[in-house]
Amino acid sequence: MSEAPEVLLEKRGQAFWITINRPEKRNALHAGVIALMREGLRQAHADPEVRAIVLTGSGDKAFCAGGDLQPGKGFAFDFSKPSVDYADLLREAQNATLPLIARVNGTCMAGGMGLLCMVDLAVAADHALFGLPEVKVGVFPMQVLSLLQDLVPRRTVREWALTGEPLSAADALDAGLLNHVVPAADLDAKVDWLLGRLVDKSPTAIRRGKYAMRAIEAMSFDQAIAYTESQIALLAMTEDAREGLAAFNERRKPVWTGR
């Protein structure tokens, strides 16, 4: 029998699921896993029927425990390359025009926290643990910080990174790292609930909206307001915008084309 792939890529209805499939290694990351995750992002964006992406891990113990600490695995670097594969994954997720949901089914540590930070929305089981334990093995969550600093207050980030101590799902929710925390038995139902509120909306509006949110991140208010006032004018010219207004006035459900 052939071994199961280390990342499962599966289209389920209008959602594309990317599942890290290394439960015996707490769904830890290495180059092969990262490459398959990037391929999943590409496949999802190439399929016009896909409206959202779900990222999760196999089993109920770990979402992702971070980089694989076996020699030559998670900390293998090619110094001839100007970028790192994990950083490229974060870049591609940040530039995604499909909404990404993290289904946090268990422990989320180190590089797993980066995966959590790169998505738009996150639902976690109440038994999940979170943290940045890198200082315990002599390294630091360098790449994770680039996303985490915009999600969580600075002093909270520093406490997590400098102490390496774990935190509960409730703590992560209070810090703004998660949207929802539910009992493990309700995790799939909550993810489905969230998906249901994404896939029935205009894919054009979501696509262009995500692009705009990404664009204005580094802008001043004056730059951002000028950019967004031009974007709303362009959005109003799309087929989805015309269909949405027509459906509202005709009191019917819109039929989105994604154009």
Side-chain angles (χ1 to χ4, degrees):
M1 293 179 62
S2 60
E3 293 185 1
E6 293 188 310
V7 178
L8 305 176
L9 305 178
E10 181 185 9
K11 183 179 174 183
R12 302 184 192 176
Q14 293 177 293
F16 193 95
W17 285 62
I18 299 174
T19 305
I20 305 174
N21 189 36
R22 305 184 74 212
E24 75 288 352
K25 298 294 184 182
R26 300 174 75 213
N27 295 320
L29 302 170
H30 61 61
V33 171
I34 293 169
L36 286 170
M37 293 179 71
R38 295 174 68 186
E39 174 60 23
L41 291 179
R42 285 190 286 271
Q43 287 186 26
H45 282 83
D47 188 336
E49 294 180 355
V50 172
R51 302 289 179 84
I53 299 170
V54 178
L55 174 61
T56 191
S58 292
D60 58 6
K61 293 183 179 179
F63 170 72
C64 175
D68 194 327
L69 298 183
Q70 295 179 83
K73 291 287 188 176
F75 287 93
F77 298 100
D78 180 352
F79 294 106
S80 69
K81 295 173 59 178
S83 63
V84 176
D85 291 341
Y86 177 74
D88 285 339
L89 171 63
L90 300 186
R91 289 185 182 100
E92 289 167 12
Q94 283 292 285
N95 291 321
T97 54
L98 288 168
L100 279 74
I101 300 173
R103 174 189 175 273
V104 185
N105 51 302
T107 296
C108 177
M109 298 281 177
M113 288 279 277
L115 302 184
L116 175 59
C117 292
M118 79 182 191
V119 304
D120 300 294
L121 305 166
V123 182
D126 57 7
H127 71 273
L129 290 176
F130 302 80
L132 300 171
E134 285 89 338
V135 290
K136 297 180 180 180
V137 294
V139 290
F140 206 73
M142 297 295 188
Q143 297 161 100
V144 179
L145 290 177
S146 60
L147 295 176
L148 189 60
Q149 66 178 356
D150 292 327
L151 292 175
V152 176
R154 180 173 299 178
R155 290 200 184 278
T156 302
V157 171
R158 290 188 177 190
E159 180 177 345
W160 294 353
L162 295 173
T163 68
E165 292 302 309
L167 56 142
S168 68
D171 291 334
L173 180 66
D174 288 343
L177 197 56
L178 303 170
N179 294 93
H180 305 280
V181 172
V182 296
D186 298 331
L187 183 59
D188 286 332
K190 193 64 176 180
V191 171
D192 288 343
W193 174 87
L194 201 52
L195 280 171
R197 279 147 184 80
L198 293 173
V199 301
D200 67 341
K201 304 306 188 301
S202 161
T204 298
I206 288 176
R207 184 188 309 120
R208 292 195 63 93
K210 282 207 63 180
Y211 184 88
M213 285 191 286
R214 174 76 171 127
I216 67 174
E217 285 176 353
M219 294 182 186
S220 67
F221 169 77
D222 287 333
Q223 292 169 326
I225 199 68
Y227 175 79
T228 52
E229 66 184 346
S230 68
Q231 291 300 300
I232 191 63
L234 290 173
L235 190 56
M237 298 169 64
T238 66
E239 289 183 16
D240 270 11
R242 289 194 291 268
E243 168 62 10
L245 291 171
F248 176 82
N249 288 308
E250 295 165 14
R251 298 185 178 181
R252 60 174 175 82
K253 290 187 67 174
V255 179
W256 307 119
T257 63
R259 296 182 178 274

